[in-house]
Amino acid sequence: MFKSRFPYFSVNADDKNKNTRVYLDSAATTQKLDSVLLAMDNYHQEYNASVHRGAYQSAQLATKAYEQARVKIQQLISAKKADEVIFTSGATESINMIANGLSINDLSGTTILVMASEHHANLLPWQAFAKRHKLNMDVIELSSDGIFSERELSRLYEQLSDDIALIAIAHVSNALGNIYPLEDIIEKAAKHNIVSVVDGTQALAHISVDVQKLNCDFYVFSGHKMYGPCGIGVLYGKYEALTALAPSKLGGEMVVDVDFSAVSFQMPPLKFEGGTPNIAGAIGLGEAAEFVKNNIEEIKRHEEKLHQYLIRQLSQFDSLIMVGNSAALPTKNNINNHDFSEHLSIGTLSFTVKNQQLNDLALYLSQAGVAVRVGHHCAMPLMKRLKLQGTLRVSLACYSDLKDIDYLIEHISHFLRLDESQARLHALTETKSVDENKQHFLLASKVQQSRGWDNVYRQLLLASKSLRILPQELRTSLTSVSGCETDLWLAMADDRFAAYSQSKVVRGILALLIERADHNISCGIHDFDYLQYLEFLGLSHYFSEGRRDGIANAIKTIDVIMKTNANANANAKTNED
Ligand code: PLP
């Protein structure tokens, strides 16, 4: 809908081969709005100067634009005054500034309460704070499938008491997309004098935010998740909360008076903006704020419609398991038995797929030009509670469209069908392939002859089935190979190489390496460049960043085993002689 406002999507627009840019990772970072880029360019080219200092014209223009950006953000989040908006480098810095500047004397309870789905950025500073001040940590629970409904809300209300000092909670979960009913929660928390810190990083681009209505003490977010630049973010605080908060970034510009042994600070916001700020970033963020403010109703409508469509399309895959509030929304496969009816999720959707390595699926999608994220999404405690290693997350934004979703679904469908058809083919040709494997480099030659990612992928899947699997009891820390995003083991078992990884793609690559290593052993070749070999097979550019080191380490392990064996054989021979 707003796609034409985002230059990222028009790069190589007329080159069909390079043009697939299905960007579904907006929860990680959003694409940048044209007016954001223009405003930043204008500042750099036309009035580049530092703020709050010089009397010359550029400095005045820069200060004016910087302070105007503050006002635009005040308007976006409906803060009472612009002085409650502090520019930081991002949500992480904002939360650390609160945790480092809060006085324990301003807190009444002894426990910090955090939401189970919290991003590490809104967990680790509080863990450190609790340790420093000898406070307890407690968790707001979700259901076993990551849902927050009336049931979980009632449980949370029971947790709120005078014993709670502070509640740290996201407005929207980055890992699940859940929108939390903060207005009600904070109203109840305030009755117990609980300080509220809201991480709004995933909210601003997708829902309306009114900090006065929320009545939270602090609200933080990052520019790059709302169409603005990286390296800029906001710490909002009620003015009295900011007055009480100690500054943790000390230096130039934030003081009224300094002596060698004493200092008096400026009032907020300047007392928190020590050093030369990210002026271009603030100006860019101001533009992004204006765009979101002017369009938020249309954005919400558009994203809600896409989200519903995405849920419906994904629910056609029986092996796909959604987590988070999206899983509770009614679909044809899922009769909603949760006790809320409102739309309580943004268009961020997390899921796993039965019997599939999500990294394989993400790699497959990436080869087709689709950007999605796999992993714990910086919410490891949540994944542990959900008993998952991670999820595949699809995250929408205002520029997403039906075509993006259709393209995604087509390729997920293709991936799953490919897998089924390989299993059938393997069953049919099992006997034959055992015989064929007696020939040298059968797997390698098939990969090398394949053209295009689909065919290479198909051959890797087939190769993975030929891998000599390292028995479970031998998968220990001694045989583990580090550096791969999925667990990987490689060793000698019964005088032959064997290996294991949950990823089928990695298993395929290991099978190719072992096929070659087996041959090298039989021919007495001890020096061989396996990495170059994979390159020669045309595979190296298919290694994802998260696997490159693991594969390199697997090769080192093969080398070490080969050389150790060669030495042992040589010694045995000398002894015989
Ligand atoms: N909080 C949430 C919910 C996030 O999604 C993120 C980033 O992924 C952060 C905090 C940290 O943001 P930043 O890295 O911009 O400081």
Side-chain angles (χ1 to χ4, degrees):
M1 167 191 240
F2 294 99
K3 220 164 207 155
S4 59
R5 298 281 316 267
F6 292 83
Y8 172 85
F9 297 106
S10 42
V11 170
N12 296 325
D14 38 6
D15 183 340
K16 277 225 156 34
N17 295 323
K18 290 188 190 158
N19 189 33
T20 309
R21 286 196 158 190
V22 176
Y23 188 76
L24 297 169
D25 194 21
S26 294
T29 197
T30 53
Q31 296 307 329
K32 311 303 169 214
L33 187 71
D34 52 7
S35 58
V36 167
L37 300 174
L38 189 66
M40 292 172 75
D41 257 9
N42 278 350
Y43 160 69
H44 282 132
Q45 289 175 25
E46 293 180 21
Y47 56 98
N48 181 53
S50 192
V51 290
H52 301 139
R53 291 173 211 195
Y56 51 92
Q57 199 194 15
S58 292
Q60 283 176 356
L61 286 174
T63 304
K64 192 166 164 215
Y66 183 76
E67 290 306 328
Q68 266 172 357
R70 202 189 299 278
V71 172
K72 286 179 185 173
I73 289 154
Q74 175 211 350
Q75 289 166 348
L76 173 70
I77 61 174
S78 296
K80 204 184 270 178
K81 41 184 171 180
D83 288 350
E84 293 175 324
V85 172
I86 292 150
F87 286 119
T88 66
S89 66
T92 304
E93 184 177 54
S94 303
I95 299 169
N96 277 278
M97 281 166 65
I98 305 169
N100 291 330
L102 260 188
S103 162
I104 186 70
N105 300 326
D106 291 337
L107 301 177
S108 46
T110 58
T111 299
I112 307 253
L113 194 56
V114 295
M115 172 54 88
S117 58
E118 224 50 29
H119 187 284
H120 299 164
N122 201 23
L123 169 62
L124 301 188
W126 300 118
Q127 232 177 49
F129 185 85
K131 272 204 186 121
R132 209 160 53 238
H133 298 294
K134 301 197 170 33
L135 303 178
N136 308 311
M137 297 286 288
D138 201 358
V139 178
I140 305 167
E141 297 292 350
L142 298 168
S143 77
S144 58
D145 40 9
I147 294 168
F148 190 84
S149 66
E150 292 292 340
R151 253 174 286 174
E152 287 72 33
L153 185 62
S154 308
R155 223 182 301 151
L156 163 58
Y157 286 163
E158 284 165 25
Q159 280 176 291
L160 296 176
S161 72
D162 290 351
D163 195 36
I164 308 292
L166 181 145
I167 182 171
I169 183 167
H171 201 167
V172 174
S173 157
N174 67 305
L176 302 170
N178 295 359
I179 303 173
Y180 296 117
L182 288 192
E183 216 175 305
D184 294 344
I185 296 171
I186 291 169
E187 189 190 339
K188 294 262 188 319
K191 293 198 172 118
H192 300 282
N193 290 324
I194 298 170
V195 171
S196 48
V197 178
V198 178
D199 178 355
T201 309
Q202 295 289 341
L204 264 299
H206 310 287
I207 58 176
S208 316
V209 173
D210 182 330
V211 289
Q212 290 192 70
K213 246 194 190 162
L214 287 177
N215 198 23
C216 51
D217 295 298
F218 298 102
Y219 194 100
V220 308
F221 53 98
S222 291
H224 71 103
K225 313 256 192 195
M226 49 172 285
Y227 315 120
C230 277
I232 187 81
V234 166
L235 160 55
Y236 156 84
K238 283 183 183 164
Y239 198 73
E240 56 278 23
L242 291 176
T243 313
L245 193 72
S248 46
K249 204 163 62 172
L250 308 180
E253 270 310 289
M254 46 143 354
V255 296
V256 176
D257 191 32
V258 181
D259 219 325
F260 279 110
S261 55
V263 56
S264 57
F265 297 121
Q266 296 254 30
M267 294 302 285
L270 295 187
K271 105 173 171 184
F272 297 103
E273 294 182 2
T276 307
N278 178 355
I279 302 163
I283 292 169
L285 181 54
E287 286 302 313
E290 195 167 31
F291 167 78
V292 172
K293 182 173 182 298
N294 291 341
N295 295 290
I296 191 67
E297 289 311 318
E298 210 169 342
I299 291 173
K300 278 195 305 195
R301 264 196 307 278
H302 173 68
E303 290 185 9
E304 267 182 35
K305 207 172 70 189
L306 283 185
H307 182 213
Q308 293 289 347
Y309 183 70
L310 177 61
I311 293 176
R312 271 203 313 280
Q313 292 300 311
L314 285 176
S315 63
Q316 69 183 269
F317 303 116
D318 291 334
S319 54
L320 191 145
I321 305 161
M322 289 182 217
V323 289
N325 284 355
S326 293
L329 295 167
T331 66
K332 78 175 170 52
N333 294 338
N334 157 24
I335 304 303
N336 179 6
N337 54 6
H338 287 270
D339 42 7
F340 64 77
S341 54
E342 228 181 303
H343 193 101
L344 281 178
S345 174
I346 62 160
T348 289
L349 215 144
S350 248
F351 59 84
T352 59
V353 187
K354 274 186 223 154
N355 304 324
Q356 293 293 342
Q357 255 287 311
L358 295 176
N359 285 309
D360 288 351
L361 174 54
L363 180 62
Y364 184 82
L365 292 173
S366 136
Q367 296 298 330
V370 183
V372 293
R373 182 62 68 91
V374 168
H376 52 65
H377 316 297
C378 295
M380 273 196 209
L382 168 71
M383 294 301 153
K384 288 179 192 164
R385 267 181 155 68
L386 300 180
K387 299 191 171 50
L388 298 173
Q389 288 200 325
T391 64
L392 191 148
R393 182 184 70 185
V394 175
S395 49
L396 308 173
C398 72
Y399 40 68
S400 308
D401 56 27
L402 290 174
K403 269 204 297 203
D404 293 335
I405 297 178
D406 287 341
Y407 190 82
L408 167 80
I409 298 296
E410 181 193 327
H411 284 83
I412 293 179
S413 169
H414 199 181
F415 172 85
L416 294 176
R417 277 206 313 269
L418 202 63
D419 211 55
E420 280 165 21
S421 70
Q422 289 318 308
R424 274 199 304 277
L425 185 65
H426 183 69
L428 286 174
T429 60
E430 203 158 27
T431 334
K432 187 166 166 250
S433 64
V434 170
D435 288 336
E436 278 181 357
N437 272 331
K438 288 183 184 147
Q439 296 171 24
H440 299 316
F441 317 133
L442 178 82
L443 306 178
S445 62
K446 284 192 169 163
V447 166
Q448 205 200 355
Q449 281 160 18
S450 303
R451 291 284 163 271
W453 168 241
D454 257 15
N455 292 327
V456 173
Y457 181 80
R458 207 182 285 266
Q459 289 307 328
L460 281 177
L461 285 193
L462 275 177
S464 78
K465 313 241 181 219
S466 310
L467 178 68
R468 217 172 294 127
I469 299 291
L470 189 70
Q472 180 84 44
E473 64 276 13
L474 295 182
R475 293 178 215 158
T476 64
S477 55
L478 287 177
T479 57
S480 160
V481 176
S482 65
C484 194
E485 63 198 356
T486 47
D487 288 339
L488 199 170
W489 295 269
L490 194 151
M492 280 299 216
D494 297 331
D495 291 334
R496 302 172 82 195
F497 278 110
Y500 186 69
S501 159
Q502 280 183 330
S503 156
K504 289 173 192 160
V505 171
V506 174
R507 284 210 296 275
I509 291 171
L510 288 169
L512 288 163
L513 289 172
I514 289 179
E515 177 188 59
R516 183 73 212 203
D518 281 346
H519 172 79
N520 287 354
I521 287 180
S522 66
C523 300
I525 302 170
H526 308 308
D527 265 328
F528 185 77
D529 190 337
Y530 289 90
L531 209 51
Q532 205 176 36
Y533 179 61
L534 293 181
E535 232 166 76
F536 165 73
L537 294 179
L539 285 175
S540 50
H541 70 278
Y542 292 122
F543 303 169
S544 64
E545 201 57 41
R547 287 171 175 172
R548 201 176 302 275
D549 288 351
I551 291 164
N553 287 339
I555 289 174
K556 276 189 201 144
T557 306
I558 292 176
D559 267 339
V560 168
I561 294 175
M562 298 277 279
K563 284 184 180 134
T564 313
N565 278 0
N567 288 341
N569 289 342
N571 287 342
K573 195 161 186 304
T574 317
N575 290 342
E576 272 170 26
D577 294 345

